Amino acid sequence: KPLSLHRRTHIIDNERPMNSLKLNGVFSLGEVHSWIGYCIPEVPDKMSCRRFNNNVLSEYIPRYQLECNYAQGMVEFMSDNISTISILKDVITKLATQRKIALNISYQLCEESIPHSLRLIHPKLDEQLLLAKKVQLIDALKELSMHEPSLDFLSPEYKDILENCEKLQ
């Protein structure tokens, strides 16, 4: 599923800067529901109402959110992550085109969502950068350990890298 790291939730933070994507056309509620089910996990197979709202939170850190509102002939997505909006537009447009369904597409981009997304992803990027730096040191530390009888002179950080080199790679 294109947004496989997203999960349904009942909590939406309305304070986040949100981008929106609106699709209108001649399609049934069942069709739009199946498109959303194709993109997002945990969407029930059967619907119990004429209007549907799905709140979805990314399971991946950072926790981006997505809100889906749809009915026959219309669907609106709102997300604080512009990539989520772009993925939905691409996938749903492709699915609709396969069924020869014309869509009217409109979207609103919120400029504040970009720095917001970067703030959310920054800690994860820092973590990955630190991991990459540690992995780069592994070969040198292994070579050093083969030539030195004692590694007492190594800092605790370097000792930890050497002890956990299998987990780091």
Side-chain angles (χ1 to χ4, degrees), residues 22-76:
K22 294 179 185 175
L23 305 170
N24 294 296
V26 182
F27 51 82
S28 70
L29 183 59
E31 283 175 312
V32 71
H33 187 77
S34 72
W35 296 340
I36 291 170
Y38 179 84
C39 295
I40 302 167
E42 298 181 355
V43 173
D45 292 335
K46 302 276 183 193
M47 296 174 310
S48 58
C49 56
R50 292 183 177 268
R51 256 184 110 66
F52 204 77
N53 175 279
N54 250 331
N55 296 328
V56 183
L57 192 65
S58 172
E59 194 173 66
Y60 179 73
I61 304 297
R63 293 195 178 270
Y64 296 119
Q65 65 184 30
L66 168 66
E67 185 175 356
C68 312
N69 296 299
Y70 53 100
Q72 182 174 338
M74 70 76 66
V75 59
E76 180 180 23

Side-chain angles (χ1 to χ4, degrees), residues 7-8 14 16 25 35-36 42 44 48 57 70 80-82 85 87 91 97 103-104 113 118 123 133 147 157 160-161:
R7 297 291 176 255
R8 288 186 70 191
N14 292 319
R16 291 186 181 200
W35 296 340
I36 291 170
E42 298 181 355
S48 58
L57 192 65
Y70 53 100
D80 56 339
N81 183 356
I82 191 67
I85 294 290
I87 290 166
V91 172
T97 301
L103 295 176
N104 294 320
S113 72
L118 292 174
K133 287 179 179 180
H147 297 293
E157 178 187 2
D160 183 61
I161 291 171

